[in-house]
Amino acid sequence: MSDLSSKTLWAGRYEVSAAEAVRRLNDSYPFDQRMYASDITCSIAYAGALSKAGIITEAERDAIASGLEQVRAEFENGTFQPAAGDEDIHTAVERRLTELIGAPAGKLHTGRSRNDQVATDTRHWQGQTIGRIITLTLDLQRALLAQAKLHTDTLMPGYTHLRAAQPVTAGHWFMSYFWMLTRDVSRWKATREATLISPLGSGALAGTPYPIDRQQLAEAMGFSRPTMNSLDGVSDRDFIAGFLYVASLMMTHLSRFAEDVILFSSGGFGFLKLDERYTTGSSLMPQKQNPDVLELTRGKTGRIAGHLSGLLNTLKGLPTGYNKDLQEDKEPLFDAADSLEILIPALIGTVETLTVIPEKMRAALDEGMLATDLADYLVGKGIPFREAHGLVGRAVRRSLETGVALSALSLEDYRALSPAFEADLYRVFDFAESVAKRAAFGGTSPDSVRMQIALAEEWLATNA
Ligand code: ARG
């Protein structure tokens, strides 16, 4: 037994062991050891299924379960000692179990392959990880919502093409990111559902000859059901591609937010002030306060999207059944998960401590942003919008040529363009009024933003 335990899992067929260079290439233990808890939980459930099927006794099942709990404890208190032959986490756990309980350990792998085992463990790990990412995302949404509440009435320039377009409220801007994240949460939940389907009981590729109740086994591990086809179950990693897609898309949202905040907190804008705790200084320029958290958000987005692209390329040419290429699924998955778990808390802090500077936002509003309102004014006087657009365009041009602001052009100037202009046209030059008029559902008016906030709170209550 101790002799076998120091060898590879396939020592029976082999005369010599693998070259050192091959071991270094082939071993996944250095990175897949983090799945120890999933491996152990799923193995305990599998031992239960084996005993229900009459393949091992209840006493053997109990010995296996308590041995595995001991291995789990060793990982948790940092005393687990990997051995030279521990190719991956599955090998390491079984080797240690054998040392601890002897013979019954050798029965655990009956009917099971590392192919169905690794697919199951990875799904289990991913399902739990998604749960934590959803919790973090909800916290980030709460931080955005809190800022939106403070700024339902705060006016700021809205942009298209990064050119001042129309006034909006800062609350509306914050809420735009809240709603993006609601869709990310939905995508995370759908991906978790697709993840928690169990390949265990698929064997290496063909299924198991033992009467394993795969539905019961799936449920014992917290999965909803077993996979439908053993070949599919052991060889697809679409659930990981799904994870990386949702991660990439969510990061794309966060990256856009980061870019906005970097821009709005920069010297030229000054709309936002970042808290010192969420910025870093420069080693050379004493005056600098750099938005590193936001830049890393933007930077990691490229990295995670790269992982998605990398995995798709790993998968696309694989022939049927398990192939070792599939071992390349884990590092991108773990790296994307780590990136999110380390990043989102820093973003939450950044948003919570962000100061909005309403005066700066207000000062950046210019009358040109009310040109559309002036056209709408003419529409109110019965002029078709297309024509109104042209008339106001000429007023804007006159203003640019003469250097006289739109609101300072004389009534005669306006009436020369169209008799539809009357003295009340000057009422259009009110930013708060412009914003208040955008009161239809989903618009930027303070009332609409308050409505969004109420709906957002409802959403949080049902989705948290
Ligand atoms: N470490 C492997 C992986 O991550 C486990 C499965 C290996 N199976 C095999 N037949 N070599 O994919």
Side-chain angles (χ1 to χ4, degrees), residues 43-103:
S43 281
I44 291 173
Y46 191 65
L50 287 176
S51 94
K52 281 207 186 80
I55 297 146
I56 62 174
T57 65
E58 286 182 4
E60 285 168 333
R61 175 201 65 197
D62 293 345
I64 289 170
S66 69
L68 285 170
E69 287 302 354
Q70 209 173 319
V71 180
R72 192 201 299 275
E74 290 183 3
F75 271 103
E76 252 139 49
N77 62 32
T79 58
F80 184 88
Q81 292 293 334
D86 290 349
E87 179 184 323
D88 53 26
I89 184 61
H90 326 291
T91 318
V93 169
E94 195 182 320
R95 187 262 313 153
R96 182 65 185 137
L97 180 67
T98 307
E99 288 168 5
L100 290 171
I101 68 165

Short mmCIF file of all heavy atoms in Angstrom, two decimals, residues 43-103:
data_model
loop_
_atom_site.label_atom_id
_atom_site.label_comp_id
_atom_site.label_asym_id
_atom_site.label_seq_id
_atom_site.Cartn_x
_atom_site.Cartn_y
_atom_site.Cartn_z
N SER A 43 -16.13 13.86 -3.11
CA SER A 43 -15.73 12.47 -2.85
C SER A 43 -16.55 11.86 -1.71
O SER A 43 -16.89 10.67 -1.75
CB SER A 43 -14.24 12.40 -2.50
OG SER A 43 -13.48 12.47 -3.69
N ILE A 44 -16.86 12.66 -0.71
CA ILE A 44 -17.69 12.14 0.39
C ILE A 44 -19.07 11.76 -0.16
O ILE A 44 -19.61 10.69 0.15
CB ILE A 44 -17.80 13.17 1.54
CG1 ILE A 44 -16.43 13.31 2.24
CG2 ILE A 44 -18.88 12.77 2.55
CD1 ILE A 44 -16.35 14.42 3.27
N ALA A 45 -19.61 12.60 -1.02
CA ALA A 45 -20.90 12.28 -1.63
C ALA A 45 -20.79 11.02 -2.49
O ALA A 45 -21.69 10.17 -2.50
CB ALA A 45 -21.39 13.45 -2.48
N TYR A 46 -19.66 10.89 -3.18
CA TYR A 46 -19.49 9.72 -4.05
C TYR A 46 -19.40 8.44 -3.22
O TYR A 46 -19.96 7.40 -3.59
CB TYR A 46 -18.24 9.89 -4.93
CG TYR A 46 -18.17 8.84 -6.02
CD1 TYR A 46 -19.13 8.80 -7.03
CD2 TYR A 46 -17.16 7.88 -6.04
CE1 TYR A 46 -19.11 7.82 -8.03
CE2 TYR A 46 -17.11 6.90 -7.04
CZ TYR A 46 -18.09 6.88 -8.03
OH TYR A 46 -18.05 5.91 -9.02
N ALA A 47 -18.71 8.53 -2.10
CA ALA A 47 -18.64 7.36 -1.21
C ALA A 47 -20.05 6.97 -0.75
O ALA A 47 -20.38 5.78 -0.67
CB ALA A 47 -17.74 7.66 -0.01
N GLY A 48 -20.87 7.97 -0.49
CA GLY A 48 -22.26 7.70 -0.12
C GLY A 48 -22.99 6.98 -1.24
O GLY A 48 -23.74 6.01 -0.99
N ALA A 49 -22.77 7.42 -2.48
CA ALA A 49 -23.44 6.79 -3.63
C ALA A 49 -22.96 5.35 -3.82
O ALA A 49 -23.75 4.46 -4.14
CB ALA A 49 -23.18 7.61 -4.89
N LEU A 50 -21.65 5.15 -3.60
CA LEU A 50 -21.11 3.78 -3.72
C LEU A 50 -21.72 2.85 -2.69
O LEU A 50 -22.03 1.68 -2.99
CB LEU A 50 -19.58 3.80 -3.55
CG LEU A 50 -18.73 4.36 -4.70
CD1 LEU A 50 -17.25 4.39 -4.30
CD2 LEU A 50 -18.93 3.56 -5.98
N SER A 51 -21.91 3.35 -1.49
CA SER A 51 -22.47 2.47 -0.46
C SER A 51 -23.95 2.21 -0.72
O SER A 51 -24.44 1.10 -0.55
CB SER A 51 -22.19 3.01 0.95
OG SER A 51 -23.26 3.78 1.42
N LYS A 52 -24.67 3.23 -1.19
CA LYS A 52 -26.09 3.02 -1.54
C LYS A 52 -26.24 1.98 -2.65
O LYS A 52 -27.20 1.24 -2.70
CB LYS A 52 -26.74 4.34 -1.97
CG LYS A 52 -27.10 5.22 -0.80
CD LYS A 52 -28.28 6.15 -1.14
CE LYS A 52 -28.51 7.13 0.01
NZ LYS A 52 -27.55 8.27 -0.04
N ALA A 53 -25.24 1.97 -3.55
CA ALA A 53 -25.28 1.02 -4.67
C ALA A 53 -24.76 -0.35 -4.25
O ALA A 53 -24.68 -1.27 -5.07
CB ALA A 53 -24.48 1.57 -5.84
N GLY A 54 -24.36 -0.47 -2.99
CA GLY A 54 -23.90 -1.76 -2.48
C GLY A 54 -22.48 -2.12 -2.89
O GLY A 54 -22.09 -3.29 -2.81
N ILE A 55 -21.70 -1.13 -3.31
CA ILE A 55 -20.34 -1.40 -3.78
C ILE A 55 -19.33 -1.34 -2.63
O ILE A 55 -18.34 -2.05 -2.62
CB ILE A 55 -19.97 -0.42 -4.91
CG1 ILE A 55 -20.91 -0.67 -6.09
CG2 ILE A 55 -18.52 -0.56 -5.36
CD1 ILE A 55 -21.25 0.56 -6.84
N ILE A 56 -19.61 -0.49 -1.67
CA ILE A 56 -18.81 -0.49 -0.44
C ILE A 56 -19.77 -0.60 0.74
O ILE A 56 -20.97 -0.31 0.59
CB ILE A 56 -17.91 0.77 -0.30
CG1 ILE A 56 -18.76 2.05 -0.21
CG2 ILE A 56 -16.91 0.87 -1.46
CD1 ILE A 56 -17.94 3.32 0.06
N THR A 57 -19.26 -1.01 1.88
CA THR A 57 -20.13 -1.14 3.06
C THR A 57 -20.32 0.23 3.70
O THR A 57 -19.57 1.18 3.42
CB THR A 57 -19.49 -2.07 4.10
OG1 THR A 57 -18.28 -1.43 4.57
CG2 THR A 57 -19.17 -3.44 3.51
N GLU A 58 -21.29 0.31 4.57
CA GLU A 58 -21.50 1.58 5.29
C GLU A 58 -20.30 1.91 6.15
O GLU A 58 -19.93 3.08 6.31
CB GLU A 58 -22.79 1.51 6.11
CG GLU A 58 -24.00 1.61 5.19
CD GLU A 58 -25.33 1.60 5.93
OE1 GLU A 58 -25.33 1.58 7.19
OE2 GLU A 58 -26.37 1.62 5.24
N ALA A 59 -19.67 0.86 6.71
CA ALA A 59 -18.48 1.10 7.54
C ALA A 59 -17.34 1.68 6.68
O ALA A 59 -16.64 2.59 7.12
CB ALA A 59 -18.04 -0.20 8.21
N GLU A 60 -17.21 1.16 5.48
CA GLU A 60 -16.16 1.68 4.59
C GLU A 60 -16.48 3.13 4.20
O GLU A 60 -15.60 3.99 4.16
CB GLU A 60 -16.04 0.80 3.34
CG GLU A 60 -15.34 -0.52 3.61
CD GLU A 60 -15.48 -1.53 2.47
OE1 GLU A 60 -16.47 -1.49 1.71
OE2 GLU A 60 -14.58 -2.38 2.35
N ARG A 61 -17.74 3.35 3.90
CA ARG A 61 -18.16 4.72 3.57
C ARG A 61 -17.82 5.68 4.71
O ARG A 61 -17.27 6.76 4.50
CB ARG A 61 -19.68 4.75 3.32
CG ARG A 61 -20.23 6.15 3.08
CD ARG A 61 -21.72 6.21 3.34
NE ARG A 61 -22.01 5.95 4.76
CZ ARG A 61 -23.22 5.61 5.22
NH1 ARG A 61 -24.23 5.46 4.40
NH2 ARG A 61 -23.40 5.41 6.52
N ASP A 62 -18.10 5.26 5.94
CA ASP A 62 -17.84 6.13 7.09
C ASP A 62 -16.35 6.35 7.30
O ASP A 62 -15.92 7.46 7.65
CB ASP A 62 -18.49 5.56 8.35
CG ASP A 62 -20.02 5.57 8.25
OD1 ASP A 62 -20.55 6.27 7.35
OD2 ASP A 62 -20.67 4.88 9.06
N ALA A 63 -15.59 5.30 7.06
CA ALA A 63 -14.12 5.43 7.20
C ALA A 63 -13.60 6.43 6.16
O ALA A 63 -12.76 7.29 6.47
CB ALA A 63 -13.45 4.07 7.01
N ILE A 64 -14.11 6.30 4.96
CA ILE A 64 -13.68 7.22 3.89
C ILE A 64 -14.08 8.65 4.24
O ILE A 64 -13.26 9.59 4.16
CB ILE A 64 -14.31 6.79 2.53
CG1 ILE A 64 -13.65 5.50 2.04
CG2 ILE A 64 -14.16 7.90 1.49
CD1 ILE A 64 -14.34 4.85 0.83
N ALA A 65 -15.32 8.83 4.68
CA ALA A 65 -15.79 10.18 4.99
C ALA A 65 -14.98 10.81 6.11
O ALA A 65 -14.57 11.97 6.02
CB ALA A 65 -17.27 10.15 5.34
N SER A 66 -14.72 10.04 7.19
CA SER A 66 -14.00 10.68 8.29
C SER A 66 -12.54 10.90 7.92
O SER A 66 -11.93 11.89 8.32
CB SER A 66 -14.18 9.93 9.60
OG SER A 66 -13.50 8.71 9.53
N GLY A 67 -11.98 10.00 7.10
CA GLY A 67 -10.62 10.21 6.61
C GLY A 67 -10.54 11.47 5.76
O GLY A 67 -9.62 12.29 5.91
N LEU A 68 -11.54 11.64 4.90
CA LEU A 68 -11.53 12.83 4.03
C LEU A 68 -11.70 14.11 4.85
O LEU A 68 -11.09 15.14 4.54
CB LEU A 68 -12.64 12.71 2.97
CG LEU A 68 -12.35 11.73 1.81
CD1 LEU A 68 -13.58 11.51 0.95
CD2 LEU A 68 -11.18 12.24 0.95
N GLU A 69 -12.50 14.03 5.90
CA GLU A 69 -12.65 15.21 6.77
C GLU A 69 -11.31 15.55 7.43
O GLU A 69 -10.99 16.72 7.63
CB GLU A 69 -13.74 15.00 7.82
CG GLU A 69 -15.17 15.05 7.27
CD GLU A 69 -15.56 16.35 6.53
OE1 GLU A 69 -14.76 17.31 6.53
OE2 GLU A 69 -16.65 16.38 5.94
N GLN A 70 -10.56 14.52 7.74
CA GLN A 70 -9.24 14.76 8.33
C GLN A 70 -8.31 15.44 7.32
O GLN A 70 -7.56 16.34 7.67
CB GLN A 70 -8.65 13.41 8.77
CG GLN A 70 -7.72 13.51 9.96
CD GLN A 70 -7.32 12.12 10.45
OE1 GLN A 70 -8.15 11.21 10.49
NE2 GLN A 70 -6.06 11.96 10.80
N VAL A 71 -8.40 14.98 6.07
CA VAL A 71 -7.59 15.61 5.02
C VAL A 71 -8.01 17.08 4.86
O VAL A 71 -7.17 17.98 4.76
CB VAL A 71 -7.74 14.86 3.67
CG1 VAL A 71 -6.90 15.54 2.58
CG2 VAL A 71 -7.35 13.40 3.82
N ARG A 72 -9.31 17.31 4.89
CA ARG A 72 -9.80 18.68 4.78
C ARG A 72 -9.23 19.55 5.90
O ARG A 72 -8.76 20.67 5.66
CB ARG A 72 -11.33 18.70 4.87
CG ARG A 72 -11.94 20.06 4.46
CD ARG A 72 -13.35 20.24 5.04
NE ARG A 72 -14.33 19.27 4.61
CZ ARG A 72 -15.05 19.34 3.49
NH1 ARG A 72 -14.88 20.36 2.67
NH2 ARG A 72 -15.93 18.41 3.17
N ALA A 73 -9.22 18.98 7.11
CA ALA A 73 -8.70 19.74 8.26
C ALA A 73 -7.22 20.06 8.06
O ALA A 73 -6.76 21.16 8.38
CB ALA A 73 -8.92 18.95 9.55
N GLU A 74 -6.49 19.12 7.49
CA GLU A 74 -5.06 19.38 7.25
C GLU A 74 -4.87 20.53 6.26
O GLU A 74 -3.98 21.36 6.45
CB GLU A 74 -4.37 18.10 6.72
CG GLU A 74 -4.25 17.01 7.78
CD GLU A 74 -3.52 15.76 7.28
OE1 GLU A 74 -3.04 15.75 6.11
OE2 GLU A 74 -3.41 14.82 8.05
N PHE A 75 -5.70 20.56 5.23
CA PHE A 75 -5.60 21.68 4.30
C PHE A 75 -5.96 22.98 5.01
O PHE A 75 -5.30 24.00 4.85
CB PHE A 75 -6.56 21.49 3.11
CG PHE A 75 -5.94 20.73 1.97
CD1 PHE A 75 -6.25 19.39 1.76
CD2 PHE A 75 -5.04 21.35 1.11
CE1 PHE A 75 -5.68 18.68 0.70
CE2 PHE A 75 -4.46 20.65 0.05
CZ PHE A 75 -4.78 19.31 -0.15
N GLU A 76 -7.00 22.90 5.83
CA GLU A 76 -7.47 24.14 6.45
C GLU A 76 -6.50 24.69 7.48
O GLU A 76 -6.34 25.90 7.59
CB GLU A 76 -8.87 23.93 7.05
CG GLU A 76 -9.91 24.64 6.21
CD GLU A 76 -11.20 23.87 6.00
OE1 GLU A 76 -11.76 23.35 6.99
OE2 GLU A 76 -11.63 23.79 4.83
N ASN A 77 -5.84 23.80 8.23
CA ASN A 77 -4.88 24.34 9.21
C ASN A 77 -3.46 24.40 8.68
O ASN A 77 -2.52 24.64 9.43
CB ASN A 77 -4.99 23.61 10.56
CG ASN A 77 -4.64 22.14 10.43
OD1 ASN A 77 -3.81 21.76 9.59
ND2 ASN A 77 -5.26 21.31 11.24
N GLY A 78 -3.33 24.16 7.38
CA GLY A 78 -2.01 24.37 6.74
C GLY A 78 -1.00 23.28 7.00
O GLY A 78 0.19 23.48 6.77
N THR A 79 -1.43 22.11 7.47
CA THR A 79 -0.45 21.04 7.74
C THR A 79 -0.40 19.98 6.64
O THR A 79 0.36 19.04 6.73
CB THR A 79 -0.77 20.33 9.09
OG1 THR A 79 -2.11 19.80 9.02
CG2 THR A 79 -0.67 21.29 10.26
N PHE A 80 -1.22 20.15 5.59
CA PHE A 80 -1.21 19.15 4.54
C PHE A 80 0.15 19.15 3.85
O PHE A 80 0.63 20.20 3.43
CB PHE A 80 -2.31 19.40 3.51
CG PHE A 80 -2.39 18.33 2.46
CD1 PHE A 80 -3.16 17.20 2.67
CD2 PHE A 80 -1.65 18.43 1.28
CE1 PHE A 80 -3.21 16.18 1.72
CE2 PHE A 80 -1.69 17.42 0.32
CZ PHE A 80 -2.47 16.29 0.54
N GLN A 81 0.74 17.96 3.75
CA GLN A 81 2.07 17.84 3.12
C GLN A 81 1.93 17.17 1.75
O GLN A 81 1.66 15.98 1.69
CB GLN A 81 2.98 16.96 4.00
CG GLN A 81 3.37 17.58 5.33
CD GLN A 81 4.27 18.81 5.17
OE1 GLN A 81 4.98 18.93 4.17
NE2 GLN A 81 4.20 19.72 6.12
N PRO A 82 2.13 17.92 0.67
CA PRO A 82 2.08 17.25 -0.63
C PRO A 82 3.27 16.31 -0.79
O PRO A 82 4.34 16.54 -0.20
CB PRO A 82 2.17 18.42 -1.63
CG PRO A 82 2.72 19.56 -0.86
CD PRO A 82 2.40 19.35 0.58
N ALA A 83 3.07 15.25 -1.55
CA ALA A 83 4.16 14.29 -1.81
C ALA A 83 4.59 14.42 -3.27
O ALA A 83 3.86 14.98 -4.09
CB ALA A 83 3.68 12.88 -1.52
N ALA A 84 5.76 13.86 -3.55
CA ALA A 84 6.35 14.01 -4.89
C ALA A 84 5.41 13.58 -6.01
O ALA A 84 5.34 14.21 -7.05
CB ALA A 84 7.65 13.24 -4.98
N GLY A 85 4.67 12.51 -5.80
CA GLY A 85 3.82 11.98 -6.87
C GLY A 85 2.45 12.64 -6.97
O GLY A 85 1.63 12.20 -7.76
N ASP A 86 2.20 13.68 -6.20
CA ASP A 86 0.87 14.32 -6.23
C ASP A 86 0.71 15.14 -7.50
O ASP A 86 1.00 16.33 -7.55
CB ASP A 86 0.68 15.23 -5.00
CG ASP A 86 0.54 14.44 -3.72
OD1 ASP A 86 0.38 13.19 -3.79
OD2 ASP A 86 0.57 15.06 -2.64
N GLU A 87 0.21 14.47 -8.51
CA GLU A 87 0.09 15.11 -9.81
C GLU A 87 -0.94 16.24 -9.79
O GLU A 87 -0.73 17.32 -10.34
CB GLU A 87 -0.33 14.05 -10.83
CG GLU A 87 -0.51 14.57 -12.22
CD GLU A 87 -1.03 13.47 -13.15
OE1 GLU A 87 -0.63 12.31 -12.99
OE2 GLU A 87 -1.84 13.80 -14.03
N ASP A 88 -2.06 15.97 -9.15
CA ASP A 88 -3.09 17.00 -9.06
C ASP A 88 -3.80 16.86 -7.71
O ASP A 88 -3.46 15.99 -6.91
CB ASP A 88 -4.07 16.92 -10.24
CG ASP A 88 -4.67 15.53 -10.44
OD1 ASP A 88 -4.75 14.77 -9.44
OD2 ASP A 88 -5.06 15.20 -11.57
N ILE A 89 -4.77 17.71 -7.47
CA ILE A 89 -5.42 17.71 -6.18
C ILE A 89 -6.14 16.37 -5.91
O ILE A 89 -6.16 15.87 -4.79
CB ILE A 89 -6.40 18.91 -6.03
CG1 ILE A 89 -7.02 18.95 -4.63
CG2 ILE A 89 -7.50 18.89 -7.09
CD1 ILE A 89 -6.04 19.12 -3.50
N HIS A 90 -6.65 15.78 -6.97
CA HIS A 90 -7.39 14.52 -6.81
C HIS A 90 -6.45 13.40 -6.35
O HIS A 90 -6.77 12.62 -5.46
CB HIS A 90 -8.08 14.13 -8.12
CG HIS A 90 -8.54 15.33 -8.90
ND1 HIS A 90 -9.57 16.11 -8.45
CD2 HIS A 90 -8.06 15.91 -10.03
CE1 HIS A 90 -9.72 17.12 -9.32
NE2 HIS A 90 -8.82 17.03 -10.27
N THR A 91 -5.26 13.37 -6.96
CA THR A 91 -4.24 12.40 -6.59
C THR A 91 -3.78 12.63 -5.15
O THR A 91 -3.60 11.69 -4.38
CB THR A 91 -3.01 12.55 -7.52
OG1 THR A 91 -3.46 12.75 -8.84
CG2 THR A 91 -2.11 11.35 -7.44
N ALA A 92 -3.57 13.90 -4.83
CA ALA A 92 -3.03 14.24 -3.51
C ALA A 92 -4.00 13.83 -2.41
O ALA A 92 -3.60 13.23 -1.40
CB ALA A 92 -2.75 15.75 -3.44
N VAL A 93 -5.29 14.12 -2.62
CA VAL A 93 -6.28 13.80 -1.58
C VAL A 93 -6.39 12.28 -1.41
O VAL A 93 -6.41 11.76 -0.30
CB VAL A 93 -7.66 14.43 -1.93
CG1 VAL A 93 -8.74 13.89 -1.02
CG2 VAL A 93 -7.59 15.95 -1.82
N GLU A 94 -6.41 11.55 -2.52
CA GLU A 94 -6.55 10.09 -2.44
C GLU A 94 -5.31 9.46 -1.81
O GLU A 94 -5.40 8.52 -1.02
CB GLU A 94 -6.82 9.51 -3.83
CG GLU A 94 -7.33 8.08 -3.75
CD GLU A 94 -7.57 7.46 -5.13
OE1 GLU A 94 -8.08 8.17 -6.02
OE2 GLU A 94 -7.24 6.27 -5.30
N ARG A 95 -4.15 10.00 -2.16
CA ARG A 95 -2.89 9.48 -1.59
C ARG A 95 -2.90 9.66 -0.07
O ARG A 95 -2.61 8.74 0.69
CB ARG A 95 -1.71 10.23 -2.23
CG ARG A 95 -0.32 9.73 -1.89
CD ARG A 95 0.38 10.51 -0.77
NE ARG A 95 0.30 11.96 -0.95
CZ ARG A 95 0.35 12.82 0.06
NH1 ARG A 95 0.45 12.40 1.32
NH2 ARG A 95 0.26 14.12 -0.17
N ARG A 96 -3.29 10.85 0.36
CA ARG A 96 -3.30 11.12 1.81
C ARG A 96 -4.37 10.28 2.51
O ARG A 96 -4.15 9.77 3.61
CB ARG A 96 -3.56 12.63 2.04
CG ARG A 96 -3.54 13.04 3.50
CD ARG A 96 -2.17 12.84 4.13
NE ARG A 96 -2.20 13.13 5.55
CZ ARG A 96 -1.58 12.38 6.48
NH1 ARG A 96 -0.89 11.29 6.13
NH2 ARG A 96 -1.65 12.70 7.76
N LEU A 97 -5.52 10.10 1.85
CA LEU A 97 -6.58 9.30 2.43
C LEU A 97 -6.08 7.86 2.64
O LEU A 97 -6.35 7.24 3.67
CB LEU A 97 -7.81 9.30 1.52
CG LEU A 97 -9.01 8.48 2.01
CD1 LEU A 97 -9.61 9.11 3.27
CD2 LEU A 97 -10.08 8.36 0.92
N THR A 98 -5.34 7.37 1.68
CA THR A 98 -4.79 6.02 1.76
C THR A 98 -3.84 5.90 2.95
O THR A 98 -3.88 4.92 3.70
CB THR A 98 -4.04 5.68 0.45
OG1 THR A 98 -4.91 5.93 -0.64
CG2 THR A 98 -3.61 4.22 0.43
N GLU A 99 -3.01 6.93 3.14
CA GLU A 99 -2.10 6.90 4.30
C GLU A 99 -2.89 6.88 5.61
O GLU A 99 -2.51 6.22 6.56
CB GLU A 99 -1.21 8.16 4.29
CG GLU A 99 -0.13 8.14 3.20
CD GLU A 99 0.53 9.52 3.03
OE1 GLU A 99 0.23 10.45 3.82
OE2 GLU A 99 1.35 9.65 2.10
N LEU A 100 -4.01 7.60 5.60
CA LEU A 100 -4.76 7.74 6.86
C LEU A 100 -5.63 6.53 7.17
O LEU A 100 -5.70 6.10 8.32
CB LEU A 100 -5.65 8.99 6.81
CG LEU A 100 -4.93 10.34 6.87
CD1 LEU A 100 -5.91 11.48 6.61
CD2 LEU A 100 -4.26 10.55 8.24
N ILE A 101 -6.30 5.96 6.17
CA ILE A 101 -7.28 4.90 6.49
C ILE A 101 -6.96 3.55 5.86
O ILE A 101 -7.67 2.57 6.10
CB ILE A 101 -8.73 5.31 6.12
CG1 ILE A 101 -8.91 5.40 4.59
CG2 ILE A 101 -9.13 6.63 6.78
CD1 ILE A 101 -10.37 5.45 4.16
N GLY A 102 -5.94 3.51 5.00
CA GLY A 102 -5.57 2.21 4.41
C GLY A 102 -6.57 1.70 3.39
O GLY A 102 -7.15 2.49 2.63
N ALA A 103 -6.82 0.40 3.43
CA ALA A 103 -7.53 -0.30 2.36
C ALA A 103 -8.82 0.35 1.82
O ALA A 103 -8.97 0.45 0.60
CB ALA A 103 -7.81 -1.73 2.80
#
